[in-house]
Amino acid sequence: MNDTSQPSGAPRLLLGPALRHVGRDDATVWVETDRACEVEILGHRERTWCMAGHHYALLVLSGLPAGQSTRYDVRLDGQPVWPLPDDPRPQPRIRTLGDGGPVRVAFGSCRYARSSAVTDDQNFEPDALMVLARELAGQDEANWPDALLMLGDQVYADETTEATQQRIRQRRDITTGSREQVADYEEYTWLYAESWNDPDVRWLMSVLPSSMIFDDHDICDDWNTSRAWREDMQATDWWAERVIGGLASYWVYQHLGNLGPADLAADELYQQVRGHSGDVEQLLRAFAEHADAEADGAKGTRWSYRRDFGPIRLLMIDSRCGRILDGERSMLGTGELAWISEQADGDYDHLLIGTSLPWLLARALHDIESWNEALADGARGARLARWSESLRRAADLEHWAAFHRSFEDLTDLIGEVARGKRGSRAPATVCVLSGDVHHAYVARVDFGEPVDSAVYQLTCSPLHNYVPTAMKVAFRLAWSKLAERTTRTLLGVLTKVPRTRVSWTREAGPYFGNELMTFSAAGRLAVVELAKTRSESREPGLRVAKRIALSSG
């Protein structure tokens, strides 16, 4: 849905409005326009800034009424451009946080393009975000989720659609370099347009505040799997431009909106960009190069962040770019881990830890990844280490289990929160929200001793993708007790499988297909609901597949 109602020569809205942060009396709204202009929303005005010839603005809206819904429109250089006059959907609105009342947080990951981009591929079911948008447009806003968490793979830089590949062929030679994968910032902008310009999803993003974090396909499959992987990629003639374009575009399209007004005011790079009179491309290229160097031991860039939704605290953890691969590998640098630990302090009813990669996998898969890391680190000599490194990359053995020290660090932090050591009392629940693995499940954690919080792994993936039949069979087998016992016995022949300080039991799943989870809390009562897309009827919809009470209040 593009704006064709404006006079020739007037600025146009290309993407957005995307509602990002929402607090008690403030909010941020992100837009992309086709040229430099002044953007106005609810009387707040902001000049666009330019990155590589593209124009953006992030408006900070303050003084909003707490706990109320405020409708808004978008004006460019004083002219209204959104919503379109003939749009049948409800007008965009901002629903600020109030005191009391239930809070609902929807989440999922892995959204490949949009439904209209893969209509000729029978593997794809309807896009879960598209279906959610259509359902919400016909409901009272009191029933809408209060937030949407997108837990990785918002775009697929390494698996482009046919339409994107045609654009690439028109721009450059695809027989060299990154070939039909995206090459740079310009081509990344095409991916975001293809994904976010779906009319239903565009409306959804204008009314639900969204928080995001990247995963591997936002940059490249197996991104930062290991030191050897980085060395191979750095030896190519195309990787440097890819990672610069990927991280710069992530900062523009995703990361800025994750920050609240106070964080934006304190962000030196954002203030430089916002006040720059020309194109900020060189500023963001330098920033992206610096951020990518963390895996090689350089000073880190923190992509993790915190959000509070009334009684719910969200800690979103970067489990990709912040990895340390030079020397003893870890999922997070020491500085970032310390920051995350500090943010866990305080009083709240529920703690949500968002990380694109599951903390807890099927136990058989967890043991394979931990065992593989031990071998890759030389537990049985150099030859097996090289073989294990090849296996790590070929089989995507790169989750928290494959960074055993970091797995235990996160486990210890969760344990302290669940025992009430980080506040005046323990929260009712601690839930780790993840995606990546293209199936959904709920697992409950046992610390081997009583704790005061119910602790869960909640995994929901994909929003819009699919799993081959062979992988469905493998995932189902991996969750069986037989696979757990057999795997540990067989792996122990080569080297001891690292032990964990927790155990976990699957309470639901695995589920396959396009799906969305919703965490709902009313006081200390919490439930999780899994909804799957259905396409049996003429109009695609969402069907509740499972509802589980996580705490009884």
Side-chain angles (χ1 to χ4, degrees):
M1 177 167 27
N2 294 313
D3 184 4
T4 59
S5 63
Q6 295 304 302
S8 177
R12 293 189 302 116
L13 188 65
L14 297 181
L15 279 183
L19 180 59
R20 299 302 311 272
H21 166 88
V22 168
R24 284 182 51 83
D25 59 2
D26 55 24
T28 64
V29 180
W30 178 97
V31 298
E32 180 180 356
T33 63
D34 72 333
R35 66 195 68 183
C37 61
E38 181 181 72
V39 185
E40 179 182 350
I41 299 177
L42 293 177
H44 295 76
R45 298 176 178 86
E46 182 82 6
R47 294 293 303 179
T48 58
W49 43 270
C50 180
M51 165 59 187
H54 296 263
H55 302 273
Y56 310 94
L58 182 69
L59 281 81
V60 176
L61 312 178
S62 58
L64 301 175
Q68 294 187 32
S69 177
T70 303
R71 297 186 180 188
Y72 71 93
D73 61 17
V74 180
R75 298 168 183 263
L76 303 183
D77 286 346
Q79 296 299 314
V81 298
W82 203 264
L84 300 182
D86 59 349
D87 192 344
R89 302 170 185 83
Q91 184 174 347
R93 75 271 325 266
I94 298 168
R95 295 172 300 135
T96 50
L97 300 175
D99 295 322
V103 179
R104 303 176 69 232
V105 179
F107 63 95
S109 82
C110 307
R111 182 170 177 264
Y112 182 77
R114 59 190 187 193
S115 288
S116 62
V118 290
T119 53
D120 58 344
D121 190 334
Q122 299 304 310
N123 289 308
F124 283 86
E125 297 177 358
D127 173 13
L129 291 191
M130 176 195 74
V131 176
L132 175 65
R134 293 182 180 181
E135 293 205 343
L136 296 187
Q139 296 179 3
D140 188 297
E141 65 180 86
N143 298 321
W144 295 358
D146 297 283
L148 173 65
L149 311 185
M150 300 172 72
L151 298 168
D153 293 344
Q154 273 67 259
V155 293
Y156 280 70
D158 52 347
E159 298 178 15
T160 53
T161 64
E162 180 57 38
T164 297
Q165 290 175 27
Q166 290 178 6
R167 295 187 70 178
I168 292 173
R169 293 186 190 101
Q170 294 170 0
R171 183 175 185 245
R172 58 178 171 83
D173 180 5
I174 67 165
T175 64
T176 61
S178 61
R179 300 181 185 275
E180 69 276 4
Q181 300 180 22
V182 299
D184 55 18
Y185 185 90
E186 175 63 25
E187 293 176 12
Y188 263 101
T189 68
W190 303 350
L191 296 186
Y192 284 104
E194 181 178 58
S195 180
W196 291 3
N197 221 5
D198 174 90
D200 293 301
V201 173
R202 190 172 184 177
W203 175 81
L204 184 73
M205 294 178 70
S206 77
V207 299
L208 292 190
S210 56
S211 303
M212 307 176 187
I213 196 68
F214 42 40
D215 200 22
D216 56 344
H217 291 288
D218 288 84
I219 305 294
C220 183
D221 189 27
D222 296 339
W223 178 31
N224 284 347
T225 295
S226 65
R227 177 73 227 169
W229 180 90
R230 282 186 64 81
E231 290 172 350
D232 287 348
M233 299 303 289
Q234 290 166 345
T236 68
D237 61 358
W238 58 270
W239 171 249
E241 198 62 28
R242 161 74 71 78
V243 76
I244 288 172
L247 291 178
S249 63
Y250 174 78
W251 188 86
V252 171
Y253 285 83
Q254 299 191 51
H255 181 67
L256 278 182
N258 293 329
L259 307 180
D263 292 325
L264 289 168
D267 191 295
E268 182 178 346
L269 176 61
Y270 174 63
Q271 294 306 322
Q272 287 180 305
V273 165
R274 183 172 173 240
H276 203 284
S277 59
D279 197 306
V280 300
E281 182 173 8
Q282 293 308 312
L283 273 176
L284 291 189
R285 286 181 65 89
F287 165 77
E289 289 178 331
H290 171 82
D292 179 55
E294 181 173 4
D296 300 325
K299 183 179 179 180
T301 297
R302 177 166 59 80
W303 299 103
S304 301
Y305 58 93
R306 167 183 154 185
R307 277 275 185 86
D308 287 331
F309 305 100
I312 298 175
R313 175 160 298 175
L314 168 68
L315 293 181
M316 191 74 87
I317 298 178
D318 160 28
S319 54
R320 280 291 175 184
C321 195
R323 295 178 177 187
I324 306 300
L325 303 173
D326 193 43
E328 185 177 6
R329 77 177 97 218
S330 62
M331 190 71 86
L332 302 166
T334 55
E336 188 148 6
L337 179 62
W339 181 87
I340 291 167
S341 180
E342 290 174 3
Q343 304 310 306
D345 292 341
D347 293 324
Y348 39 82
D349 288 336
H350 306 276
L351 176 62
L352 304 181
I353 299 177
T355 171
S356 62
L357 301 175
W359 169 49
L360 303 176
L361 299 163
R363 188 53 193 258
L365 295 179
H366 176 97
D367 287 344
I368 289 172
E369 294 203 4
S370 296
W371 165 86
N372 172 261
E373 183 191 32
L375 288 179
D377 286 345
R380 291 297 300 270
R383 179 176 295 180
L384 276 178
R386 289 191 296 271
W387 172 81
S388 297
E389 172 63 33
S390 297
L391 178 62
R392 181 184 182 94
R393 293 165 62 174
D396 289 341
L397 307 181
E398 52 170 344
H399 299 82
W400 284 87
F403 293 79
H404 185 72
R405 186 186 69 173
S406 298
F407 174 88
E408 294 296 342
D409 288 341
L410 181 58
T411 300
D412 288 344
L413 174 61
I414 292 172
E416 289 181 4
V417 173
R419 294 181 181 95
K421 295 182 177 181
R422 294 307 189 101
S424 62
R425 64 173 181 171
T429 66
V430 180
C431 297
V432 179
L433 315 183
S434 305
D436 179 69
V437 291
H438 288 205
H439 65 288
Y441 57 90
V442 175
R444 180 154 188 169
V445 183
D446 182 356
F447 281 87
E449 62 181 17
V451 295
D452 298 320
S453 304
V455 180
Y456 289 89
Q457 169 73 58
L458 308 178
T459 302
C460 183
S461 165
L463 291 166
H464 187 226
N465 214 309
Y466 68 94
V467 179
T469 300
M471 290 302 298
K472 292 181 182 179
V473 173
F475 283 133
R476 287 193 176 99
L477 288 174
W479 277 107
S480 69
K481 286 294 184 181
L482 176 62
E484 178 180 337
R485 293 191 298 267
T486 304
T487 299
R488 180 168 288 273
T489 299
L490 293 177
L491 296 180
V493 173
L494 281 179
T495 193
K496 185 178 180 180
V497 179
R499 294 284 180 178
T500 67
R501 291 193 282 273
V502 294
S503 60
W504 54 98
T505 304
R506 173 173 53 95
E507 295 210 344
Y511 297 96
F512 299 95
N514 292 338
E515 47 211 358
L516 185 76
M517 274 189 181
T518 302
F519 175 93
S520 301
R524 293 176 67 83
L525 173 67
V527 299
V528 66
E529 185 176 275
L530 173 69
K532 295 172 56 64
T533 60
R534 52 176 173 79
S535 55
E536 312 87 57
S537 60
R538 181 173 300 177
E539 179 65 22
L542 287 168
R543 174 180 57 83
V544 176
K546 193 70 176 181
R547 191 173 189 272
I548 297 177
L550 304 179
S551 69
S552 57

PDB file of all heavy atoms in Angstrom, residues 447-463:
ATOM      1  N   PHE A 447      15.495 -26.887  39.131  1.00  0.00           N
ATOM      2  CA  PHE A 447      16.822 -26.551  39.642  1.00  0.00           C
ATOM      3  C   PHE A 447      17.351 -27.588  40.634  1.00  0.00           C
ATOM      4  O   PHE A 447      18.433 -27.415  41.184  1.00  0.00           O
ATOM      5  CB  PHE A 447      16.800 -25.163  40.291  1.00  0.00           C
ATOM      6  CG  PHE A 447      16.842 -24.036  39.307  1.00  0.00           C
ATOM      7  CD1 PHE A 447      15.677 -23.548  38.752  1.00  0.00           C
ATOM      8  CD2 PHE A 447      18.049 -23.468  38.914  1.00  0.00           C
ATOM      9  CE1 PHE A 447      15.702 -22.518  37.831  1.00  0.00           C
ATOM     10  CE2 PHE A 447      18.095 -22.441  37.995  1.00  0.00           C
ATOM     11  CZ  PHE A 447      16.915 -21.959  37.447  1.00  0.00           C
ATOM     12  N   GLY A 448      16.600 -28.640  40.858  1.00  0.00           N
ATOM     13  CA  GLY A 448      17.055 -29.655  41.796  1.00  0.00           C
ATOM     14  C   GLY A 448      16.792 -29.304  43.237  1.00  0.00           C
ATOM     15  O   GLY A 448      17.097 -30.093  44.141  1.00  0.00           O
ATOM     16  N   GLU A 449      16.244 -28.134  43.484  1.00  0.00           N
ATOM     17  CA  GLU A 449      15.858 -27.678  44.818  1.00  0.00           C
ATOM     18  C   GLU A 449      14.729 -26.678  44.643  1.00  0.00           C
ATOM     19  O   GLU A 449      14.551 -26.104  43.567  1.00  0.00           O
ATOM     20  CB  GLU A 449      17.044 -27.019  45.533  1.00  0.00           C
ATOM     21  CG  GLU A 449      17.552 -25.783  44.831  1.00  0.00           C
ATOM     22  CD  GLU A 449      18.741 -25.147  45.544  1.00  0.00           C
ATOM     23  OE1 GLU A 449      19.365 -25.830  46.385  1.00  0.00           O
ATOM     24  OE2 GLU A 449      19.034 -23.985  45.261  1.00  0.00           O
ATOM     25  N   PRO A 450      13.950 -26.441  45.666  1.00  0.00           N
ATOM     26  CA  PRO A 450      12.827 -25.506  45.521  1.00  0.00           C
ATOM     27  C   PRO A 450      13.296 -24.090  45.195  1.00  0.00           C
ATOM     28  O   PRO A 450      14.271 -23.597  45.772  1.00  0.00           O
ATOM     29  CB  PRO A 450      12.151 -25.557  46.895  1.00  0.00           C
ATOM     30  CG  PRO A 450      12.569 -26.871  47.487  1.00  0.00           C
ATOM     31  CD  PRO A 450      13.964 -27.105  46.989  1.00  0.00           C
ATOM     32  N   VAL A 451      12.614 -23.459  44.246  1.00  0.00           N
ATOM     33  CA  VAL A 451      12.824 -22.043  43.950  1.00  0.00           C
ATOM     34  C   VAL A 451      11.455 -21.370  43.986  1.00  0.00           C
ATOM     35  O   VAL A 451      10.415 -22.032  43.917  1.00  0.00           O
ATOM     36  CB  VAL A 451      13.502 -21.827  42.575  1.00  0.00           C
ATOM     37  CG1 VAL A 451      14.913 -22.408  42.568  1.00  0.00           C
ATOM     38  CG2 VAL A 451      12.671 -22.430  41.448  1.00  0.00           C
ATOM     39  N   ASP A 452      11.455 -20.046  44.087  1.00  0.00           N
ATOM     40  CA  ASP A 452      10.210 -19.325  44.296  1.00  0.00           C
ATOM     41  C   ASP A 452       9.510 -18.935  42.996  1.00  0.00           C
ATOM     42  O   ASP A 452       8.339 -18.530  43.031  1.00  0.00           O
ATOM     43  CB  ASP A 452      10.473 -18.065  45.120  1.00  0.00           C
ATOM     44  CG  ASP A 452      11.018 -18.400  46.505  1.00  0.00           C
ATOM     45  OD1 ASP A 452      10.530 -19.381  47.093  1.00  0.00           O
ATOM     46  OD2 ASP A 452      11.933 -17.698  46.980  1.00  0.00           O
ATOM     47  N   SER A 453      10.203 -19.014  41.872  1.00  0.00           N
ATOM     48  CA  SER A 453       9.623 -18.654  40.577  1.00  0.00           C
ATOM     49  C   SER A 453       9.437 -19.901  39.735  1.00  0.00           C
ATOM     50  O   SER A 453      10.247 -20.836  39.789  1.00  0.00           O
ATOM     51  CB  SER A 453      10.538 -17.684  39.816  1.00  0.00           C
ATOM     52  OG  SER A 453      10.828 -16.531  40.551  1.00  0.00           O
ATOM     53  N   ALA A 454       8.393 -19.892  38.923  1.00  0.00           N
ATOM     54  CA  ALA A 454       8.253 -20.911  37.889  1.00  0.00           C
ATOM     55  C   ALA A 454       9.112 -20.487  36.704  1.00  0.00           C
ATOM     56  O   ALA A 454       8.998 -19.361  36.223  1.00  0.00           O
ATOM     57  CB  ALA A 454       6.794 -21.030  37.469  1.00  0.00           C
ATOM     58  N   VAL A 455       9.999 -21.373  36.250  1.00  0.00           N
ATOM     59  CA  VAL A 455      10.967 -21.031  35.204  1.00  0.00           C
ATOM     60  C   VAL A 455      10.690 -21.878  33.962  1.00  0.00           C
ATOM     61  O   VAL A 455      10.566 -23.109  34.054  1.00  0.00           O
ATOM     62  CB  VAL A 455      12.415 -21.252  35.689  1.00  0.00           C
ATOM     63  CG1 VAL A 455      13.409 -20.881  34.597  1.00  0.00           C
ATOM     64  CG2 VAL A 455      12.681 -20.434  36.954  1.00  0.00           C
ATOM     65  N   TYR A 456      10.602 -21.204  32.808  1.00  0.00           N
ATOM     66  CA  TYR A 456      10.240 -21.879  31.562  1.00  0.00           C
ATOM     67  C   TYR A 456      11.117 -21.425  30.400  1.00  0.00           C
ATOM     68  O   TYR A 456      11.603 -20.285  30.378  1.00  0.00           O
ATOM     69  CB  TYR A 456       8.789 -21.568  31.174  1.00  0.00           C
ATOM     70  CG  TYR A 456       7.744 -22.211  32.042  1.00  0.00           C
ATOM     71  CD1 TYR A 456       7.279 -21.569  33.183  1.00  0.00           C
ATOM     72  CD2 TYR A 456       7.216 -23.455  31.716  1.00  0.00           C
ATOM     73  CE1 TYR A 456       6.306 -22.155  33.979  1.00  0.00           C
ATOM     74  CE2 TYR A 456       6.234 -24.043  32.506  1.00  0.00           C
ATOM     75  CZ  TYR A 456       5.788 -23.387  33.629  1.00  0.00           C
ATOM     76  OH  TYR A 456       4.824 -23.969  34.417  1.00  0.00           O
ATOM     77  N   GLN A 457      11.279 -22.320  29.445  1.00  0.00           N
ATOM     78  CA  GLN A 457      11.741 -21.974  28.103  1.00  0.00           C
ATOM     79  C   GLN A 457      10.517 -21.982  27.194  1.00  0.00           C
ATOM     80  O   GLN A 457       9.811 -22.986  27.081  1.00  0.00           O
ATOM     81  CB  GLN A 457      12.764 -22.988  27.593  1.00  0.00           C
ATOM     82  CG  GLN A 457      13.112 -22.854  26.111  1.00  0.00           C
ATOM     83  CD  GLN A 457      13.967 -21.638  25.810  1.00  0.00           C
ATOM     84  OE1 GLN A 457      15.051 -21.483  26.340  1.00  0.00           O
ATOM     85  NE2 GLN A 457      13.449 -20.753  24.965  1.00  0.00           N
ATOM     86  N   LEU A 458      10.241 -20.830  26.547  1.00  0.00           N
ATOM     87  CA  LEU A 458       9.135 -20.699  25.607  1.00  0.00           C
ATOM     88  C   LEU A 458       9.728 -20.414  24.227  1.00  0.00           C
ATOM     89  O   LEU A 458      10.325 -19.349  24.028  1.00  0.00           O
ATOM     90  CB  LEU A 458       8.195 -19.565  26.018  1.00  0.00           C
ATOM     91  CG  LEU A 458       7.671 -19.587  27.467  1.00  0.00           C
ATOM     92  CD1 LEU A 458       6.791 -18.371  27.722  1.00  0.00           C
ATOM     93  CD2 LEU A 458       6.908 -20.873  27.750  1.00  0.00           C
ATOM     94  N   THR A 459       9.577 -21.335  23.313  1.00  0.00           N
ATOM     95  CA  THR A 459      10.180 -21.202  21.994  1.00  0.00           C
ATOM     96  C   THR A 459       9.090 -21.178  20.938  1.00  0.00           C
ATOM     97  O   THR A 459       8.212 -22.055  20.929  1.00  0.00           O
ATOM     98  CB  THR A 459      11.159 -22.359  21.717  1.00  0.00           C
ATOM     99  OG1 THR A 459      12.167 -22.367  22.732  1.00  0.00           O
ATOM    100  CG2 THR A 459      11.816 -22.214  20.351  1.00  0.00           C
ATOM    101  N   CYS A 460       9.146 -20.172  20.052  1.00  0.00           N
ATOM    102  CA  CYS A 460       8.132 -20.038  19.004  1.00  0.00           C
ATOM    103  C   CYS A 460       8.799 -19.628  17.698  1.00  0.00           C
ATOM    104  O   CYS A 460       9.329 -18.519  17.580  1.00  0.00           O
ATOM    105  CB  CYS A 460       7.087 -19.017  19.409  1.00  0.00           C
ATOM    106  SG  CYS A 460       5.741 -18.859  18.194  1.00  0.00           S
ATOM    107  N   SER A 461       8.758 -20.523  16.716  1.00  0.00           N
ATOM    108  CA  SER A 461       9.366 -20.272  15.408  1.00  0.00           C
ATOM    109  C   SER A 461       8.801 -21.310  14.442  1.00  0.00           C
ATOM    110  O   SER A 461       8.639 -22.471  14.821  1.00  0.00           O
ATOM    111  CB  SER A 461      10.894 -20.403  15.532  1.00  0.00           C
ATOM    112  OG  SER A 461      11.513 -20.512  14.280  1.00  0.00           O
ATOM    113  N   PRO A 462       8.466 -20.898  13.210  1.00  0.00           N
ATOM    114  CA  PRO A 462       8.644 -19.579  12.611  1.00  0.00           C
ATOM    115  C   PRO A 462       7.335 -18.803  12.548  1.00  0.00           C
ATOM    116  O   PRO A 462       6.245 -19.352  12.687  1.00  0.00           O
ATOM    117  CB  PRO A 462       9.099 -19.939  11.196  1.00  0.00           C
ATOM    118  CG  PRO A 462       8.304 -21.187  10.878  1.00  0.00           C
ATOM    119  CD  PRO A 462       8.188 -21.939  12.188  1.00  0.00           C
ATOM    120  N   LEU A 463       7.484 -17.500  12.276  1.00  0.00           N
ATOM    121  CA  LEU A 463       6.334 -16.679  11.930  1.00  0.00           C
ATOM    122  C   LEU A 463       5.916 -16.925  10.480  1.00  0.00           C
ATOM    123  O   LEU A 463       4.739 -16.963  10.158  1.00  0.00           O
ATOM    124  CB  LEU A 463       6.666 -15.197  12.119  1.00  0.00           C
ATOM    125  CG  LEU A 463       6.866 -14.720  13.561  1.00  0.00           C
ATOM    126  CD1 LEU A 463       7.508 -13.338  13.578  1.00  0.00           C
ATOM    127  CD2 LEU A 463       5.536 -14.689  14.302  1.00  0.00           C
TER     128      LEU A 463
END
